[in-house]
Amino acid sequence: MNDAILPFRVDIPQAELDDLAARLASTRWPGELPGVGWSYGVAQGHLEELVRYWRTGYDWRRHEARLNSFPQFTTTIDGQNVHFLHVRSPEPDAIPLIITHGWPSTVYEFLDLIGPLTDPRGHGADGAPAFHVVIPSVPGFAFSGPTGETGWGVNRVARAWAELMRRLGYERYGAQGGDFGSMVSPELGRVAPDKVIGAHVNALANASTPTDPDDLDRLSGGERELAREQEAWWYKHSGYATQMSTRPQTLAYALNDSPAGQLAWNLEWYVDWDPANTVQTPVDRDVLLTDVTIFWLTRTTGSAARLYYEGGDEGWGKRPAPSGVPTGVANFPGDKALRGLAELSHAIVHWSTPPRGGHFASVQAPDLLVEDIRTFFAKTNSRR
């Protein structure tokens, strides 16, 4: 087995950026019905404005340099290239922590967490837990993609993370993640229960709607009503997931050929999860465009979509097996996790409802996410 860990640096050829600008300039706009706003999907006027900024105002090189200001590496695990950031804390008792992103995110969304997590003393939080931070790109996404074979679902990613942490020399560690990462992090606890001291999640998936006929009976009256409402909400907003979990290859041709189309596809999910229910991009537009640009430049939008297909093969929609690993949940505004459902699969020892932020908490309220991670692992680490 080749365990080599190699330094990595993002260095996109200028020709790729020129091609992107040319494609954006020649976008064919489909038109839209008058007065429908966002009810039929992404509003064309809003998208046109974002595309204009992407082409004439957005500076990829600035964000590329920011990525490159952190130590990055690649290694091959289970036949797949894996890209990751690895930033060690100056504190001798720091807790190793592996953080997993979701869809349609990249590691870029976690950059604001790195300083406060690795160096709390230098960020005004003397005495708070410190962390050695490992942030991998999920196989198939961005600089870990594309995948070259089937089978890269939640369990296989979790097993790859266990191997990655072994290669880095971490015997005991925590896991954190949101969205898809909220499934991988607890699964890592199932894969390596003797290694994982705790899993902290936000944007918790598989805990907002019933997956078993008896689930509703296990909930309080208030949670039961919320579960029904959320099931109706998901029915109206799950078209993207249905497409990617059934025919990701067909979708890939369009998204890989049209940057404006890829932006619309990703943007819709950010807006759908906006807790304020607005039609403006609910994250900083440079963050959104950096994520989309990374997908575009690495040609991994189709590969990332396959994650949903692989998850379907694993049985997404079914209740995960119970995990004995201590679990903390930060349920930010707009997220829909119900504790009664979460407790069916997780050993919940911490549950919080932060006052602001949203589904993409690492860029919407990074300070509150950091605070919640610290609070959870201060409790969990005391049990080691």
Side-chain angles (χ1 to χ4, degrees):
M1 180 183 295
N2 182 4
D3 288 3
I5 294 175
L6 305 175
F8 178 83
R9 184 176 178 83
V10 183
D11 185 14
I12 300 300
Q14 185 59 40
E16 290 284 327
L17 302 180
D18 294 341
D19 175 72
L20 170 59
R23 288 171 183 263
L24 290 172
S26 61
T27 300
R28 292 202 319 170
W29 297 103
E32 61 184 349
L33 293 172
V36 299
W38 287 70
S39 61
Y40 278 61
V42 173
Q44 182 167 312
H46 185 75
L47 189 66
E48 284 179 331
E49 182 182 342
L50 268 178
V51 166
R52 189 178 306 112
Y53 172 71
W54 195 4
R55 184 170 63 87
T56 63
Y58 171 80
D59 182 1
W60 161 257
R61 293 300 186 197
R62 179 166 71 88
H63 299 286
E64 180 183 69
R66 190 178 180 216
L67 269 170
N68 286 333
S69 70
F70 296 94
Q72 299 173 80
F73 306 89
T74 61
T75 190
T76 300
I77 300 177
D78 196 9
Q80 175 65 36
N81 176 65
V82 173
H83 160 263
F84 62 99
L85 283 70
H86 183 203
V87 184
R88 289 187 61 83
S89 170
E91 302 296 335
D93 59 347
I95 304 165
L97 180 67
I98 185 166
I99 302 177
T100 308
H101 64 81
W103 183 91
S105 301
T106 70
V107 298
Y108 189 84
E109 291 186 13
F110 293 130
L111 299 190
D112 285 342
L113 307 184
I114 294 174
L117 287 176
T118 58
D119 185 18
R121 193 191 309 270
H123 288 77
D126 193 12
F131 301 88
H132 302 305
V133 173
V134 180
I135 308 176
S137 297
V138 172
F141 284 67
F143 306 109
S144 284
T147 46
E149 60 183 0
T150 62
W152 279 101
V154 174
N155 179 265
R156 191 170 179 181
V157 173
R159 287 187 279 116
W161 283 189
E163 172 60 17
L164 175 59
M165 296 302 272
R166 184 198 69 80
R167 290 187 190 181
L168 294 175
Y170 294 131
E171 287 297 319
R172 296 278 284 165
Y173 49 85
Q176 202 285 327
D179 190 80
F180 174 74
S182 78
M183 293 183 281
V184 172
S185 297
E187 186 68 11
L188 181 53
R190 298 183 183 98
V191 167
D194 57 329
K195 305 292 186 182
V196 178
I197 64 172
H200 179 279
V201 298
N202 61 289
L204 178 59
N206 282 344
S208 62
T209 59
T211 59
D212 184 276
D214 297 330
D215 281 355
L216 289 177
D217 296 335
R218 298 185 175 101
L219 302 178
S220 66
E223 283 197 328
R224 194 176 302 127
E225 184 58 31
L226 271 176
R228 292 193 180 101
E229 291 175 5
Q230 290 168 183
E231 195 169 25
W233 182 92
W234 178 243
Y235 176 79
K236 293 180 179 179
H237 293 81
S238 59
Y240 83 102
T242 300
Q243 177 66 38
M244 293 199 296
S245 62
T246 56
R247 290 295 186 270
Q249 185 65 27
T250 304
L251 177 68
Y253 299 114
L255 299 188
N256 199 60
D257 194 57
S258 169
Q262 185 182 312
L263 174 58
W265 186 258
N266 289 24
L267 170 64
E268 183 175 71
W269 196 229
Y270 284 91
V271 171
D272 277 350
W273 278 99
D274 180 15
N277 195 29
T278 68
V279 296
Q280 300 302 311
T281 306
V283 299
D284 180 87
R285 63 182 179 176
D286 269 35
V287 172
L288 169 69
L289 290 173
T290 299
D291 277 344
V292 175
T293 304
I294 290 171
F295 280 118
W296 177 262
L297 295 173
T298 57
R299 293 166 170 77
T300 55
T301 184
S303 180
R306 290 199 291 264
L307 172 67
Y308 280 71
Y309 190 99
E310 304 292 354
D313 282 352
E314 284 186 332
W316 278 12
K318 296 179 181 178
R319 186 71 54 209
S323 169
V325 172
T327 303
V329 178
N331 204 27
F332 281 85
D335 279 329
K336 304 176 186 300
L338 298 175
R339 185 162 185 166
L341 294 179
E343 288 178 337
L344 299 177
S345 301
H346 307 284
I348 306 293
V349 299
H350 169 84
W351 186 280
S352 68
T353 54
R356 56 181 168 83
H359 190 79
F360 301 92
S362 63
V363 290
Q364 292 173 311
D367 57 330
L368 297 186
L369 181 57
V370 166
E371 181 182 341
D372 210 75
I373 292 170
R374 289 170 175 164
T375 298
F376 170 70
F377 281 103
K379 297 176 185 176
T380 305
N381 198 40
S382 66
R383 298 187 177 97
R384 286 203 295 175

